[in-house]
Amino acid sequence: MTVSIVVVSHSEKIADGAVELAAQMAPDVMILPAGGTDDGRIGTSLEKVLAALEKAGSQGGGTGPEGTLVLTDLGSAVMTAESALEFLENPAGVLLADAPLVEGLVAAAVAAQGGADVQAVRKAAEGVPGAAPQPEPAAGEAEQEPVSSAPPDFTGDFELVNQAGMHARPAAKVAGGLASLDAEVTINGADGASMTGLMTLGAGKGTVLHVEAWGADAERAVEYVGGLVEAGFGEP
């Protein structure tokens, strides 16, 4: 069972469309829309949000160890989501993300598809461009040394052969698979587990991807990326 995701929007169409898009990248993740008012107008509905959260919980998301992430669009949607948490028997497993709705949702869905826990799924959502900046470490708090400061354990170079290059679907496949491995991976300098980071490379057909990996699953990670690239991600 993966982390579940609830989308709270002022528009039923926006919520449904965002869920449909994210589901293409993460077919095994439960993503539930809670958009618009009960009578179909623009606005938010506490009842809709509660119903979505309860459905997620009944599948193991809200009350189990997997957890549920909530993404919202505008200010009052945040307030509605926060109010809904007050009605839950166990709100501890439900987290709110401060992230752009569509970009954050896709990043979160890909992370959840890869088996990340709810904290990591929220981090993925809040790490996309346009999300609120993360707080700086407290004074005296040691910062973790970047993995890239050490020589990589394994590397590989692979040329993109599919016509469209590194667009959304290939980026989702790469990021989702790497997220489940015990490895830190960069691809042409971008975080290999970040779908949005990979898409911003603008890598088209013929581009050589330089993969560097650190950690216990470093070799598997490089082989995983190489296999996808050499197979053209299953595309023409």
Side-chain angles (χ1 to χ4, degrees), residues 112-135:
Q113 177 74 23
D117 62 23
V118 69
Q119 293 285 353
V121 171
R122 179 169 68 174
K123 183 178 179 180
E126 295 182 342
V128 301
Q134 299 302 300

Side-chain angles (χ1 to χ4, degrees), residues 184-206:
E184 297 288 340
V185 184
T186 64
I187 299 177
N188 289 6
D191 181 0
S194 169
M195 176 184 169
T196 52
L198 294 175
M199 291 177 64
T200 58
L201 291 175
K205 182 179 180 180

Side-chain angles (χ1 to χ4, degrees), residues 7-235:
V7 178
V8 182
S9 172
H10 284 68
S11 166
E12 184 174 7
K13 291 181 179 179
I14 288 176
D16 290 344
V19 168
E20 181 181 10
L21 174 64
Q24 299 298 310
M25 317 296 176
D28 300 321
V29 179
M30 175 181 285
I31 311 173
L32 302 170
T37 63
D38 294 329
D39 56 0
R41 294 179 294 108
I42 296 296
T44 57
S45 164
L46 178 62
E47 288 73 19
K48 280 191 172 185
V49 177
L50 280 172
L53 290 173
E54 289 170 359
K55 183 174 181 180
S58 70
Q59 298 299 314
T63 58
E66 298 82 7
T68 298
L69 185 71
V70 181
L71 289 102
T72 59
D73 55 6
L74 303 176
S76 59
V78 177
M79 292 187 288
T80 301
E82 291 175 339
S83 297
L85 296 188
E86 297 177 2
F87 288 89
L88 297 180
E89 292 184 5
N90 180 22
V94 182
L95 301 181
L96 272 63
D98 187 3
L101 182 62
V102 177
E103 295 90 340
L105 172 60
V106 172
V110 169
Q113 177 74 23
D117 62 23
V118 69
Q119 293 285 353
V121 171
R122 179 169 68 174
K123 183 178 179 180
E126 295 182 342
V128 301
Q134 299 302 300
E136 295 294 329
E141 182 179 342
E143 295 188 27
Q144 184 176 0
E145 183 180 353
V147 174
S148 57
S149 65
D153 296 317
F154 287 91
T155 66
D157 293 286
F158 310 100
E159 181 178 342
L160 289 170
V161 296
N162 61 311
Q163 191 65 39
M166 186 62 75
H167 63 96
R169 288 182 186 275
K173 288 183 178 180
V174 172
L178 292 180
S180 64
L181 298 179
D182 182 12
E184 297 288 340
V185 184
T186 64
I187 299 177
N188 289 6
D191 181 0
S194 169
M195 176 184 169
T196 52
L198 294 175
M199 291 177 64
T200 58
L201 291 175
K205 182 179 180 180
T207 299
V208 175
L209 302 182
H210 179 62
V211 184
E212 297 184 332
W214 298 257
D217 291 336
E219 184 175 10
R220 286 181 59 198
V222 173
E223 291 175 348
Y224 173 74
V225 176
L228 288 176
V229 173
E230 291 169 354
F233 301 99
E235 300 177 352

